[in-house]
Amino acid sequence: MKKNLLIVFIAVAAICFGFQAKAQSGTSGPVTVNINLSDAISITLGAAPTVNFNYTTAADYAGSKTVEKASHFTVVSNKPYDLTVTAGGAFTPAGGPALDIVTVTVPAATANGGTPVANVPLSTTAAALVNNSTASTGAVYTVDYTISNPASLLNLAGSAYSTTVTYTATQR
């Protein structure tokens, strides 16, 4: 009986090991994957974009002043770009200082790989500020506003003189 049981066991084992399980598979047709790109560029101003030069004492009129605006704006661009700056008009109220009393500079450390132009005077004509910045998903710019010679502020009536400034990023 043991012999018969052994023969049956060997026969069942041979049958089990003799069959190979074959997995079934299927194949789809080709699938197209598209990445559709469009040129995209934007500028977002920082939380506190207003620039204030305060001349409250006699000593304030004695030398240059710089107001640094860290994280002044952020540029997102999928291609290299140039930055320009433009003043919206003369300082108001009328009779204020000339626009070019204020110069604008982007320090090289925050120029996003571009070439900054130093001491760009405010003007109603667009002026280059940074040339050939690299594409970026969020380049943060610091901007220095400077009045190097406050002499043209002398003899002006006490008031707040204002103008608007616009930054433009143009893809190359």
Side-chain angles (χ1 to χ4, degrees), residues 41-141:
I41 191 165
S42 70
I43 297 179
T44 305
L45 289 174
T50 302
V51 177
N52 290 307
F53 284 97
N54 295 310
Y55 287 84
T56 56
T57 68
D60 290 335
Y61 291 89
S64 69
K65 277 192 175 201
T66 297
V67 175
E68 179 185 84
K69 296 299 285 186
S71 303
H72 198 35
F73 57 84
T74 302
V75 176
V76 175
S77 179
N78 69 317
K79 293 172 108 179
Y81 57 93
D82 297 326
L83 283 173
T84 60
V85 60
T86 309
F91 281 103
T92 58
L99 276 175
D100 63 358
I101 190 172
V102 177
T103 62
V104 182
T105 302
V106 170
T110 66
N112 192 37
T115 305
V117 178
N119 303 316
V120 177
L122 288 184
S123 171
T124 56
T125 303
L129 186 61
V130 179
N131 294 309
N132 203 26
S133 290
T134 58
S136 174
T137 59
V140 179
Y141 286 86

Side-chain angles (χ1 to χ4, degrees), residues 132-153:
N132 203 26
S133 290
T134 58
S136 174
T137 59
V140 179
Y141 286 86
T142 293
V143 179
D144 292 337
Y145 293 83
T146 301
I147 295 176
S148 59
N149 182 2
S152 64
L153 299 176

